[in-house]
Amino acid sequence: MPYLICLNSSKAVKLPENGCLTVGREDDADLQVVDGEVSRHHFQLKSSPGGGHELLDLGSANGTTLNGVAVVPGKPYALHDADYVKAGRHVFIFSSAPPQRMGTTCPGCGMRVHVYDQGRRLHGFDCPGCDRHIDGLGK
């Protein structure tokens, strides 16, 4: 069962049985995010017809990035292990297996950032606190 891991809060959420997880500010979001740059219903992760999982921006006001690249609202994007999604100042990691927690401190702002992986190197990502790029981490 896949997980979505929020680096800002260290929260790992398992994708529900119905195969759809909505992220946003609204109370009815599966993963509620308190961030003025995140829309009420910002993006969804859902099972794809081919058996994998997809990211879908739900027409958010400030956009969504996948591995640092802006996605087109309404267009599904295939997700792979350790892909990272950014919405507002929040960064999420997609994992198809139960995550293991690691952490680092951003050299730019000193924010403690929690990182998860499956025993291999992660993509680099931007710090949620100051947007400074942090190289991927590995064991």
Side-chain angles (χ1 to χ4, degrees):
M1 186 60 65
Y3 291 80
L4 185 66
I5 302 122
C6 179
L7 298 184
N8 304 63
S9 67
S10 305
K11 188 176 198 176
V13 179
K14 192 185 300 188
L15 198 69
E17 291 297 321
N18 68 4
C20 185
L21 178 98
T22 302
V23 176
R25 287 191 340 258
E26 199 65 43
D27 289 340
D28 66 351
D30 299 304
L31 178 55
Q32 187 179 21
V33 176
V34 180
D35 181 339
E37 295 179 25
V38 172
S39 295
R40 288 190 210 62
H41 297 109
H42 199 100
F43 70 86
Q44 274 185 342
L45 298 186
K46 51 200 283 184
S47 298
S48 62
H53 293 87
E54 299 173 331
L55 167 70
L56 185 69
D57 180 288
L58 298 173
S60 64
N62 293 314
T64 303
T65 64
L66 175 60
N67 298 325
V69 178
V71 301
V72 175
K75 178 181 175 186
Y77 291 81
L79 288 170
H80 306 283
D81 274 346
D83 278 351
Y84 70 97
V85 178
K86 186 171 183 188
R89 301 205 54 84
H90 283 72
V91 179
F92 306 87
I93 300 283
F94 175 77
S95 172
S96 64
Q100 297 176 1
R101 183 174 170 178
M102 298 188 317
T104 188
T105 300
C106 174
C109 68
M111 180 179 183
R112 183 73 179 157
V113 180
H114 299 283
V115 180
Y116 296 80
D117 80 342
Q118 294 76 52
R120 59 184 170 75
R121 188 171 176 83
L122 290 174
H123 297 288
F125 57 92
D126 294 333
C127 172
C130 69
D131 289 329
R132 180 176 176 155
H133 186 77
I134 299 173
D135 288 329
L137 302 173
K139 292 183 178 180

